[in-house]
Amino acid sequence: MAMHQNTGQGISSLSNTQLEDVIAEIEQAIEWHQSWYKNLLRCLIADTPANEQDLADNAHNLCRFGQWFNKLPEQTLNLHPYFSEIACAHKKMHQGATVLLSLKETKSAISVNLLDQFHADLDRLRVLFDTLIEEFSELLHTRDPLTGASNRTNLVENLQKEHELCKRKSLSCALIMIDLDHFKQVNDEFGHAVGDKVLIALVKCIKSHLREYDQLYRYGGEEFLVCLPQTELEGAKSLSERLRAGVEVLKIEIGKGKHINVTGSFGVALINADDDIETAIERADQAMYQAKKSGRNRVSVA
Ligand SMILES: Nc1nc2c(ncn2[C@@H]2O[C@H](COP(=O)(O)OP(=O)(O)OP(=O)(O)O)[C@@H](O)[C@H]2O)c(=O)[nH]1
């Protein structure tokens, strides 16, 4: 099954703990349905009594997974395309099992087609469960838990892909390196928790200016890298200028009705046609240092 390219607002807004909880719940659902299936076979083949809840019309709502799923907060996981698919597949499989059990209860014959259909539904549910675990684990593994920006795990590989795509279409791909100014001072003066708040606010601000297919990475402690596919130097420069201005007016609450402001330095570079990614990042980094050297709170172009 193809992985969904866009994991959607729904799951990207979940914290790492929430993602871990979902993975644990799905793993338990797999285990639970495995022993449920063994029990079903016992009923169908060895004629042991069927479980009352498996004969109910709403058997899918009564199993452990069904109960958990129905309690999910609206507009979070429900927005993830796999969850609606899982809900349908899960319901269909339980309904198939109910039909099989009802036939057995009335001593009617179970056709091969019905049995095959039930097994196909069971297999489909398992594939959906596995794919969801894979996708959520990937997100956990590739995301910075504090800010929600991507971490560096797949940075070079992803940028390489974007660069190749842009090259094929003779389009440019731009990078912006962003580094907060005097951030150590923020930590020293107001504490690490305020520093963390600044990083979270910065990422929220940057994300609000990006397109869906732009990528944002936490490159270092207070250093972030943006990849802008299909973007010329001029476009990247003017976006950087908007980002710079946006960061400058951010108000970070520090309690007692007070707030602080921060600024950032920005380095812009294109990924040239024959560049390797590391070289292009290095140029964006150099441009950012140039912005620092020229007084900070500014944009510099490689
Ligand atoms: N609160 C917080 N601070 C962090 C985090 N990661 C790195 N830092 C801090 O970021 C600061 C970076 O300081 P420096 O590299 O000296 O840079 P700077 O003070 O921003 O100075 P310039 O870059 O030269 O403007 C250090 O104090 C780190 O402890 C984090 O996750 N949370």
Side-chain angles (χ1 to χ4, degrees), residues 179-187 222 263 292 295-296:
D179 191 282
L180 280 168
D181 297 329
H182 301 305
F183 189 54
K184 185 175 179 308
Q185 218 169 296
V186 172
N187 274 328
E222 59 352 334
T263 59
K292 291 260 181 206
R296 295 180 173 79

Side-chain angles (χ1 to χ4, degrees), residues 34-67:
Q34 273 166 352
S35 58
W36 168 84
Y37 174 68
K38 281 185 203 156
N39 203 42
L40 181 78
L41 283 190
R42 246 184 250 121
C43 294
L44 294 176
I45 298 168
D47 207 21
T48 56
N51 199 331
E52 272 304 308
Q53 80 176 38
D54 289 332
L55 289 164
D57 286 343
N58 63 341
H60 62 287
N61 286 332
L62 303 175
C63 85
R64 187 203 148 98
F65 173 75
Q67 289 183 29

Side-chain angles (χ1 to χ4, degrees), residues 144 146-147 179-188 191-199 218 220-224 263-265 288-289 292 296:
D144 166 44
L146 177 70
T147 61
D179 191 282
L180 280 168
D181 297 329
H182 301 305
F183 189 54
K184 185 175 179 308
Q185 218 169 296
V186 172
N187 274 328
D188 291 349
H192 213 262
V194 169
D196 284 356
K197 257 176 123 176
V198 171
L199 294 172
R218 188 169 181 187
E222 59 352 334
E223 202 172 7
F224 293 85
T263 59
S265 297
M288 185 274 292
Y289 275 109
K292 291 260 181 206
R296 295 180 173 79

Side-chain angles (χ1 to χ4, degrees), residues 29 31 39 41 78 89 121 126 149 153 159 161 181 186 223 236 239 241 248 274 281:
E31 217 173 285
N39 203 42
L41 283 190
N78 314 55
D121 293 340
R126 179 60 198 255
T153 310
L159 264 53
K161 274 189 216 153
D181 297 329
V186 172
E223 202 172 7
L239 171 66
E241 194 45 55
E248 193 176 31
D274 48 2
I281 293 175

